Amino acid sequence: MAHEAENTSSTSQVEESDPDALLSPPPDARPEPGLNGNPVRWYDADRTESYTRIAPFQELHDTSIEFFYKPITLTALGFGLAALSYVAMTQDVLEEGRDKRRVGAYAAVVSFLMFSMIQFRDGPFIRPHPAFWRAILGINLLYELALVFLLFQDLNSARRMMTLLDPSLNRPLPEKSYAEHCELTPQNIWDSIDIFCLAHALGWFGKAMILRDYWFCWILSIAFEFAEYSLQHQLANFAECWWDHWILDVLVCNWLGTYLGMKTCQYLEVKPYEWRGLRQTRGLRSKARRVLSQFSPHDWTAFKWEGTASFLHYVIVVLLLAVFLAAELNPFYLKSLLWMEPDHPIVILRLAGVFLCALPAVRELYQYINNPRKAKRMGQHVWLLLATILTELLVITKWGKGQFTEPLPLYVRWAWMIGGILLVLYPAIRFGVPSVRKYVGKQKQKRKGKGKGKKVQ
């Protein structure tokens, strides 16, 4: 009892001597180790970026099929080494005396992609699996390294190197022009319809899925046709009839692909997403439908670029438009310089690869622009894709010296000069003039305030 009295008296003394003690908040509790009190395991390392909106020490996993998201790094290493050992040391697979350079190069590529699938950071997409998009990033990196290597080669050496991939290459191709029989007749239009019309529509379907904006796609479509007009003195296949440019390309193929792509985006935007695991799904048909749904998006974000909302948005949209135009024009120049047909597998693989790389890249860029608090730095996909397109431009600029001797026509120079002036004049009027007026108004208010202060004194 005496001890309790001493504690009571000491407490009362503290309360009397420090009346603010009752108002001060209690000290914060010491945080528990691990994640919400649970110990963090060694394979729970965080590879996520801020734009993925994921809490620390947590990756965005698809909990409906948890088995496929368990780390198997050591198991993959064991299987990979076993496969390499079998291929490299088995006589019936690699006969002695045969050229093994091609098989060795393929093995090195597969090994690098395996490393990228396991160790690269996650991107913004998780379907069908984050490892798939890590492999896409690895393919982009391999292509960028190949471009850097080709940048230090001359054009003739590069053409000879292409024969290692396809012995039928390194042969000059005849120039083909589409600006013949330009009379607007049903027969001429029918003769112009070929497999490339379907390729046009599929390409613009993919662009709509990437950009997710009607106006952006229309501006890009018209800008590309003007680019073809401007560069047809260098590439003969850019020369087309006027109705081929504006009717077949813009109003038919490009519009059809953009329309179907945007309708797909709208469907994915309003579609209800409810993910259940295979164990919770009953029936063979339901399980098959669940397996197929693994290759559809986990969620969907509608893009609103708002190029006129602010000066920063305007600059980003113009730069993105320029990068897309460069990505569209680069394969035409590369296949012309390397003597490849438009339907060559290398050209098709390049187009498909850029499409797959652009899907997460544009998603990262949109997050970086519209949510800078969470996206503290530019994502890895958009950074690498931008480097790839610029490297392609460097390669084309180097190899193109002496190949395109015809000078730029005067009317093309004037057209691009007027376009550049308009691109600069619009933001100056739209953003610069209001900013100047606002600044002048603030200065006048400051001067009036100082004048009133002097009168009072």
Side-chain angles (χ1 to χ4, degrees), residues 342-361:
D343 56 349
H344 194 276
I346 295 179
V347 178
I348 297 175
L349 286 176
R350 187 268 178 194
L351 295 176
V354 170
F355 166 72
L356 291 175
C357 294
L359 283 171

Side-chain angles (χ1 to χ4, degrees), residues 111-323:
S111 300
F112 178 80
L113 292 180
M114 181 179 175
F115 172 81
S116 64
M117 291 175 63
I118 297 174
Q119 299 298 342
F120 277 12
R121 295 195 303 268
D122 288 342
F125 296 158
I126 63 172
R127 288 296 175 92
H129 194 281
F132 172 79
W133 298 105
R134 295 183 215 138
I136 294 298
L137 183 64
I139 293 173
N140 193 359
L141 181 56
L142 286 175
Y143 181 58
E144 168 65 12
L145 295 177
L147 289 173
V148 172
F149 175 78
L150 292 175
L151 183 61
F152 290 88
Q153 315 301 319
D154 58 85
L155 181 56
N156 293 327
S157 299
R159 287 170 177 170
R160 289 193 297 269
M161 290 178 185
M162 290 294 106
T163 58
L164 298 176
L165 300 176
D166 186 356
S168 65
L169 295 177
N170 196 20
R171 296 176 183 176
L173 299 176
E175 295 184 355
K176 184 178 181 181
S177 176
Y178 297 92
E180 300 175 357
H181 308 290
C182 289
E183 295 80 11
L184 184 58
T185 60
Q187 184 62 36
N188 289 339
I189 295 177
W190 177 257
D191 293 339
S192 299
I193 297 176
D194 51 14
I195 190 63
F196 295 107
C197 293
L198 178 61
H200 268 279
L202 289 176
W204 281 98
F205 177 85
K207 294 181 186 69
M209 296 291 293
I210 294 171
L211 295 171
R212 310 179 192 180
D213 188 276
Y214 260 122
W215 283 104
F216 208 129
C217 291
W218 273 112
I219 293 172
L220 182 61
S221 176
I222 296 173
F224 180 77
E225 298 302 325
F226 281 120
E228 283 189 331
Y229 274 118
S230 304
L231 300 172
Q232 63 185 3
H233 65 285
Q234 294 183 348
L235 298 179
N237 56 352
F238 278 169
E240 299 176 352
C241 300
W242 67 268
W243 47 264
D244 199 350
H245 278 292
W246 304 109
I247 297 179
L248 274 184
D249 288 351
V250 175
L251 296 181
V252 178
C253 299
N254 298 358
W255 173 83
L256 180 62
T258 302
Y259 176 79
L260 294 178
M262 290 305 302
K263 285 299 181 181
T264 305
C265 293
Q266 293 173 5
Y267 167 75
L268 294 174
E269 182 181 355
V270 301
K271 173 187 175 182
Y273 291 94
E274 181 180 356
W275 302 108
R276 295 180 180 178
L278 290 175
R279 295 180 180 179
Q280 291 80 21
T281 305
R282 296 181 179 179
L284 182 60
R285 181 177 299 179
S286 298
K287 290 182 180 293
R289 190 183 299 113
R290 175 61 189 87
V291 172
L292 293 177
S293 66
Q294 183 66 24
F295 297 92
S296 63
H298 184 271
D299 52 20
W300 192 259
T301 301
F303 289 173
K304 297 180 180 179
W305 293 102
E306 299 179 350
T308 60
S310 65
F311 179 72
L312 177 62
H313 282 74
Y314 175 81
V315 172
I316 293 296
V317 168
V318 171
L319 291 178
L320 183 59
L321 176 64
V323 171

